[in-house]
Amino acid sequence: QRSVPAIDCSPALHLQGQTFEDTVMPLDANAVPDHIMAPATHFSKSRIWTGRIVSGMLVVLLAFDAVTKLIREPHVMAAATQMGLTVSAIVEIGAILSFCLAIYLIPRTALIGAILLTGYLGGATATNLILGQSSIACVFPVIVGVLVWLGLYFRDGRVASIWTARS
């Protein structure tokens, strides 16, 4: 009967005389493109204000939508019931939208907020398509989603650095 030799899985076996530090690529600022390390901060004031205005208008629109769901406004509840949604589902949707907006409003987390709002608006588009709503009802959330990103593009260097072609 043969015995199975023990397998040595220690890092030293695989490094062949090298230390762990020798095998790890050092994090060097020169190794990462400048536009990723330091997002563009040379935006004109008019560009930044354009982004703030576009984002601000969208936040007001979406905040109004969230509040009407949270306070169970009768017209919203009637429309939701007609679509087959329960009152509790509409309140939960309002809470989700409020959370996404809060994340979008914080400058450090605005990028994550835009991603969350894109998902929220994608769900609105899908719901409208499934229920056979009018074309404008199906396209409106898509337009709002594009404006969410456009406002962020104008005011945030991280988004601009992703979309701006670099040579």
Side-chain angles (χ1 to χ4, degrees), residues 41 43-53 151 154-155:
T41 56
F43 292 151
S44 67
K45 286 184 180 182
S46 61
R47 178 179 174 149
I48 293 171
W49 275 103
T50 299
R52 288 176 179 167
I53 290 169
F154 283 131
R155 66 185 170 96

Side-chain angles (χ1 to χ4, degrees), residues 54-133:
V54 169
S55 295
M57 290 188 318
L58 289 170
V59 166
V60 168
L61 171 76
L62 293 173
F64 177 77
D65 185 36
V67 168
T68 59
K69 287 174 172 54
L70 290 171
I71 66 169
R72 300 174 183 177
E73 199 278 327
H75 295 94
V76 172
M77 292 300 120
T81 304
Q82 184 180 5
M83 292 172 61
L85 299 171
T86 64
V87 171
S88 64
I90 290 301
V91 172
E92 289 173 11
I93 290 170
I96 291 168
L97 178 55
S98 299
F99 175 77
C100 294
L101 278 175
I103 299 299
Y104 183 71
L105 284 172
I106 301 168
R108 293 186 82 164
T109 60
L111 183 61
I112 296 168
I115 293 168
L116 292 173
L117 285 172
T118 302
Y120 173 85
L121 294 164
T125 302
T127 301
N128 287 334
L129 284 170
I130 290 168
L131 295 174
Q133 299 291 326

